[in-house]
Amino acid sequence: MPDVKRCSGCRLTEAAVSRRDFVSLATMSAVAVALTACGGGGTEVSTGPVPPGNGQVSVLLTDFPALSAVGATVKVRSSPPIAIARTATGLVAFSLSCTHQGSTVNIKSDFTLLCPNHGAQFTADGVWKGGERTTSLVRLPLTVNPAGTTATITLD
Ligand code: FES
C-alpha cells in the first residue's frame, strides 16, 4: 500500500508519484481548479497525468461524497480517464476510454455513461447496455485501505 499524503492547498494526493511531481501537480492545481463538475453532472477530481512506470493512483474517498450512494459514479482523473462507481457490493474502478474506438465516455447526471462519439451506452459501473455495439468498459483493480478512507487504483 503506497504512503498517501494530501496537499493542504488542494485536493491532490501523493501516491506513486515522486515528491517533486506531487509538488508540481499541487502547484498547477492551485492555479487551476482541482475540483470541477464534469459535463454530465458527475464529479471529477483531476490529479494530473501519471508518469510512465507509476501505475497507481490513490484518492481520498472524502473527495467524492457522491460515492456514498449505491449507483453513483465519479470521474477521478482525465489522463488516463478513469472512474469509480459504488455498486451494491462495493467500489469498482474502470477506464472511461470507450472500448469501441477510445473516446472518453461521459458520466451523465443519472450516472449512466454515454460515449459522445458513436453513442455507446453503459451502466453506472461500466457495463455495456446499448447504442454502438462494443464491450463493457475495462475494469481496473481497486483496493481500499483498512480505514476505508483511501482507494488505490492500479492503471497497468
Ligand atoms: S468511440 Fe465510443 S461508441 Fe465509438
Side-chain angles (χ1 to χ4, degrees):
M1 178 66 58
D3 181 31
V4 177
K5 298 177 178 133
R6 183 175 182 165
C7 171
S8 62
C10 62
R11 294 180 178 271
L12 297 177
T13 57
E14 177 185 22
V17 297
S18 71
R19 172 158 291 291
R20 189 179 75 189
D21 289 343
F22 177 71
V23 170
S24 176
L25 290 171
T27 302
M28 289 188 305
S29 179
V31 175
V33 177
L35 177 62
T36 59
C38 68
T43 301
E44 175 182 357
V45 172
S46 176
T47 56
V50 174
N54 291 332
Q56 288 188 325
V57 61
S58 293
V59 295
L60 293 174
L61 293 174
T62 53
D63 288 339
F64 302 96
L67 287 177
S68 62
V70 171
T73 305
V74 297
K75 186 175 183 179
V76 297
R77 64 181 307 129
S78 296
S79 180
I82 57 175
I84 297 175
R86 171 143 334 252
T87 71
T89 57
L91 297 175
V92 296
F94 53 90
S95 169
L96 284 174
S97 294
C98 184
T99 49
H100 180 232
Q101 291 183 355
S103 297
T104 297
V105 173
N106 294 322
I107 301 171
K108 296 169 51 179
S109 59
D110 64 356
F111 298 119
T112 58
L113 310 174
L114 176 65
C115 179
N117 202 0
H118 307 105
Q121 301 165 23
F122 306 89
T123 61
D125 59 345
V127 176
W128 179 83
K129 69 172 192 172
E132 181 72 33
R133 183 165 295 282
T134 187
T135 59
S136 297
L137 299 175
V138 175
R139 288 283 172 96
L140 301 169
L142 178 149
T143 57
V144 177
N145 69 340
T149 56
T150 302
T152 299
I153 302 162
T154 301
L155 303 178
D156 295 332

